[in-house]
Amino acid sequence: MKKIKEERIIIGEDLRPNYRLKTDRTRITAEEIPLNHTPEFIEDMRRHDNEVLLRRSKIFNERPEFFNKVQMIDIDIINDDFAPWNLFEWPSKQEQVDLIRSIENVGLLYPIYVTVDKFGRYNVIIGRCRLLAYCDIYQKKFLEEYRYIPCYVIPFEEVDELFIRSMMIESNISFRKISKGNMVRALLENYEIMKRTKNFRNEKNIGMELSKQFKICESTVFNYIRVKSLCEPAQTLLYDEEITMQVATYLTKVPKDVQEKILETCGKEGVKAIFRLKLLTNKEDITVEQLEKDIKRIGGILPQKTKVTLEVSQALLNPLMQHLLDFKRDKAAAIASRMQGKFKEVFNVRFNEKDLGYFKGFIDKVVLKKLMSKTLMDMVKIK
């Protein structure tokens, strides 16, 4: 069976953070080793950088298409060196089986995209699942029609890393699953590359282009870009989906050294207590010394609110509603009166709206309206 390579050769930069918390057993470190480059080598590097910039500018100004270069390529010589740039989730086993069945019944409707370099080496950009489906079918049937797959062939020297990454996103974003962590990671990787292109050095232009690529609003794009100000441990935890986007957003409100101290002291489970994290990050200029005092101070603080779920039989629904209303009048109203008469932070009742429709002629409508009232004034007015 055709094996898709998981490790990539040296193509472009690895933009992923690889930091590990102190509690981890291993930590990856990197050290720069200065080299005495010759003038010829430096000139070659300068020429190479200029060629990359010219190629990238040409790509995004002319928007080349490759639909006129379809070839039948042997599946055994197609590699997957760009795999680390593809952050979309693989289909389920059933989805892949359905794809194989579709190819066997009606054929391949859309060719895949591959690059070919000057050495004749092919790499898949778009269509990994279709390529694997061809490999599976050929392994089972050994029919020549499945040994060669239709491909749009793109000369590697005509494109660059940003173009390849953009193609992956455009082809996948509408119909493939992607986790929030991988979404942020893909967006930030593209952001870092686009910043080096003259066309996209303006933050607004980058935001607009990323919004189109990922099919999300610009405000969401800039919220994700804020993640750049996370310390490396937090970025690693976010990309590995160990912390949520909400946690990451609160951490970006304070300096990186403070973020690291919060993570080291509270741990990845501790920062998930949003009600405490909000208090630790509400001062942008907080120092590590102040933070240590705040952590001790808020350690015993409990959540401001909590949810209680009740299930009750039909016969007890009305009595329960009356008891809840009595509680709202006797207990919750006294606290709400100190909060401008608002119940929002004190006492809220929610009903299953679908089930509630079945009880229209059974429940006391006045009691229901009073329970759902948002202020003391509203509750008093209901008759």
Side-chain angles (χ1 to χ4, degrees), residues 177-194:
K177 295 170 288 188
I178 183 169
S179 66
K180 182 64 67 65
N182 279 347
M183 169 76 87
V184 176
R185 176 177 149 192
L187 188 145
L188 291 182
E189 286 181 356
N190 271 34
Y191 171 85
E192 290 296 335
I193 299 170
M194 291 170 78

Side-chain angles (χ1 to χ4, degrees), residues 2 4-5 77-83 85-86 90 112-116 121-132 149 151-152 164 168:
K2 166 71 177 166
I4 301 293
K5 295 186 178 181
I77 64 172
I78 300 177
N79 301 284
D80 194 19
D81 289 335
F82 305 129
W85 301 345
N86 179 31
W90 283 94
I112 69 171
Y113 285 75
V114 298
T115 61
V116 60
R121 180 183 176 86
Y122 292 91
N123 270 296
V124 60
I125 301 176
I126 301 171
R128 288 168 179 77
C129 299
R130 283 167 278 171
L131 176 60
L132 286 176
I149 186 169
C151 302
Y152 292 122
I164 292 172
M168 289 177 177

Side-chain angles (χ1 to χ4, degrees), residues 201-328:
R201 285 183 183 170
N202 181 283
E203 287 277 323
K204 181 69 175 176
N205 290 343
I206 295 176
M208 290 172 62
E209 187 65 25
L210 291 173
S211 174
K212 294 174 187 175
Q213 280 188 0
F214 288 86
K215 302 190 188 309
I216 55 179
C217 66
E218 286 183 43
S219 60
T220 302
V221 168
F222 287 110
N223 281 338
Y224 287 172
I225 290 176
R226 285 181 61 190
V227 172
K228 291 194 304 96
S229 59
L230 278 178
C231 63
E232 283 201 13
Q235 283 194 27
T236 303
L237 290 173
L238 178 64
Y239 294 167
D240 291 343
E241 298 186 70
E242 298 283 347
I243 60 174
T244 64
M245 189 66 191
Q246 185 183 26
V247 170
T249 301
Y250 276 112
L251 286 173
T252 59
K253 295 181 178 181
V254 294
K256 289 186 178 182
D257 59 337
V258 176
Q259 295 175 27
E260 290 192 25
K261 187 64 178 179
I262 291 173
L263 285 171
E264 288 176 8
T265 307
C266 303
K268 62 186 179 185
E269 292 302 321
V271 295
K272 293 177 183 178
I274 297 296
F275 65 98
R276 288 179 183 152
L277 186 61
K278 287 171 69 174
L279 295 173
L280 291 175
T281 57
N282 66 351
K283 298 177 184 176
E284 294 182 4
D285 57 348
I286 189 172
T287 63
V288 173
E289 292 74 22
Q290 291 173 323
L291 175 72
E292 291 176 344
K293 295 178 182 177
D294 286 350
I295 289 176
K296 293 178 181 178
R297 178 175 58 83
I298 70 169
I301 293 179
L302 298 176
Q304 186 69 23
K305 295 190 296 183
T306 189
K307 292 182 180 180
V308 177
T309 302
L310 298 173
E311 285 186 300
V312 66
S313 70
Q314 172 188 335
L316 294 175
L317 180 57
N318 268 320
L320 175 65
M321 289 174 60
Q322 186 60 56
H323 279 301
L324 291 174
L325 181 57
D326 292 340
F327 176 83
K328 186 173 185 177

Side-chain angles (χ1 to χ4, degrees), residues 20-27:
R20 292 292 178 266
L21 294 175
K22 291 182 178 180
T23 52
D24 294 347
R25 292 185 178 180
T26 60
R27 176 178 173 182

